[in-house]
Amino acid sequence: MKVTVVGAGAVGASCAEYIAIKNFASEVVLVDIKEGFAEGKAMDLMQTASLNGFDTRIVGATNDYSKTAGSDICVITSGIPRKPGMTREELIGINAGIVKSVSASLVQHSPNTILIVVSNPMDTMTYLAHKTTGLPKNRIIGMGGALDSARFKYRIAEALDAPISDVDGMVIGGHSDTGMVPLTRLATRNSVPVSAFMSEARLEQVKEDTKVGGATLTKLLGTSAWYAPGAAVSAMVQAIACDQKKMFPCSTMLEGEYNLNDICIGVPVLIGKNGIEKIVSIELNAAEKAHMQESAEGVRKTNDLLEL
């Protein structure tokens, strides 16, 4: 199992570290445009192998995609990160060019790869990969919902003063501060609806805190977060590598599902060795449907800025 991570910055390096520690991949290749940067990160990570008990080989490469050849899974984290006050959508001009070039180079050397897109604006970058790589739709996955759902569960557990292992919940829709649709109605604590434990007002606060989860961290850190995004990617990579058939909300190309067409947006999917193995249909109520449509409109507006 060979995994490539493009972008050796904070998110990419965290992703590589989590994949290595889980010890399911034989090799992780880190690629970056900055001279020596990926090589340095790879060497630093490899020097933790005896301490953390993993045998995954991590190698770095400066813009040399020949080293990625034969990758089973490729992760694109490259692009500029958000700064305080920036929306994910404002990154589109620079990041679209980067994602288009990177995905073409990856597919050239690994035509059978599964692509996981992390770069922002993520839904639009996933759509761009669909339109430019020629890969089948099950082999292009946008990572947003897995991260947003983790942040949702964190906020629920915080509000309940409960262990996070008790909590389950999911966020669908676009990966943006306004586009997320946290499904508060379906969130549970050990199968009991969380609405049984907290007021409607508190649950609404959880929802709003989830939607600005990334912006909150960007304001505190001065740049985008990296631990949770890296962990979210590694969980998806493991689900593919180990054929887990695990359910995540992911940005996927829709062709009529959820009454949406020709758009990549977050919906629950089953992930296994073939990438997206099934799009899971869940019954939304009227308010959730309206929020989903509104979210889709926002994603389409960003898609319209692409020069395909």
Side-chain angles (χ1 to χ4, degrees):
M1 176 57 59
K2 181 175 179 177
V3 180
T4 286
V5 180
V6 182
V11 174
S14 292
C15 175
E17 179 183 17
Y18 291 136
I19 290 169
I21 284 173
K22 291 177 181 180
N23 220 15
F24 60 81
S26 54
E27 183 178 9
V28 175
V29 181
L30 264 177
V31 181
D32 203 276
I33 198 167
K34 185 178 175 183
E35 188 68 40
F37 191 60
E39 290 89 338
K41 287 282 184 92
M43 187 182 294
D44 192 15
L45 284 169
M46 279 305 295
Q47 288 169 4
T48 74
S50 62
L51 300 166
N52 286 328
F54 65 81
D55 294 310
T56 302
R57 181 169 171 255
I58 308 170
V59 298
T62 302
N63 239 16
D64 180 3
Y65 284 86
S66 66
K67 291 195 175 169
T68 72
S71 292
D72 300 281
I73 305 162
C74 293
V75 180
I76 303 176
T77 75
S78 46
I80 57 167
R82 280 208 288 175
K83 296 287 189 289
M86 280 182 91
T87 65
R88 293 179 177 92
E89 290 73 24
E90 287 177 282
L91 305 175
I92 189 166
I94 297 169
N95 287 359
I98 294 170
V99 169
K100 190 174 180 179
S101 167
V102 165
S103 56
S105 297
L106 290 171
V107 172
Q108 179 188 343
H109 290 92
S110 304
N112 297 314
T113 196
I114 293 168
L115 213 56
I116 298 177
V117 180
V118 183
S119 308
N120 279 314
M122 186 276 303
D123 297 290
T124 296
M125 294 300 100
T126 305
Y127 184 78
L128 176 66
H130 274 280
K131 294 298 180 182
T132 58
T133 62
L135 289 177
K137 72 176 215 168
N138 62 296
R139 289 205 269 128
I140 301 174
I141 312 170
M143 190 292 293
L147 170 61
D148 298 332
S149 297
R151 287 172 171 165
F152 185 36
K153 286 181 264 195
Y154 158 72
R155 287 299 188 186
I156 292 170
E158 178 187 51
L160 294 175
D161 193 22
I164 208 152
S165 56
D166 263 13
V167 169
D168 199 16
M170 180 163 53
V171 177
I172 60 172
H175 181 57
S176 70
D177 300 353
T178 55
M180 288 181 214
V181 185
L183 296 175
T184 51
R185 178 179 62 90
L186 301 177
T188 61
R189 178 178 183 177
N190 275 0
S191 302
V192 180
V194 296
S195 55
F197 301 101
M198 68 176 102
S199 68
E200 196 172 318
R202 187 70 182 92
L203 198 48
E204 186 63 26
Q205 186 63 51
V206 165
K207 180 178 174 180
E208 292 308 311
D209 288 345
T210 299
K211 289 167 74 172
V212 296
T216 301
L217 285 161
T218 301
K219 188 176 178 183
L220 291 168
L221 296 167
T223 187
S224 296
W226 56 90
Y227 294 123
V233 177
S234 74
M236 291 167 62
V237 170
Q238 186 174 21
I240 296 165
C242 302
D243 194 23
Q244 290 176 332
K245 307 286 194 286
K246 200 162 183 176
M247 189 190 296
F248 293 97
C250 295
S251 192
T252 185
M253 178 64 80
L254 298 182
E255 297 172 321
E257 301 92 349
Y258 292 87
N259 291 319
L260 294 170
N261 267 295
D262 192 39
I263 187 171
C264 291
I265 197 166
V267 296
V269 300
L270 299 184
I271 293 186
K273 65 181 178 182
N274 300 309
I276 292 173
E277 306 220 338
K278 183 181 181 182
I279 295 173
V280 179
S281 180
I282 55 175
E283 192 61 43
L284 302 178
N285 65 23
E288 291 157 354
K289 284 178 184 174
H291 288 150
M292 192 66 167
Q293 288 296 329
E294 192 180 318
S295 180
E297 285 169 22
V299 172
R300 288 192 200 282
K301 281 181 186 172
T302 310
N303 289 355
D304 289 343
L305 300 173
L306 287 173
E307 295 177 9
L308 293 170

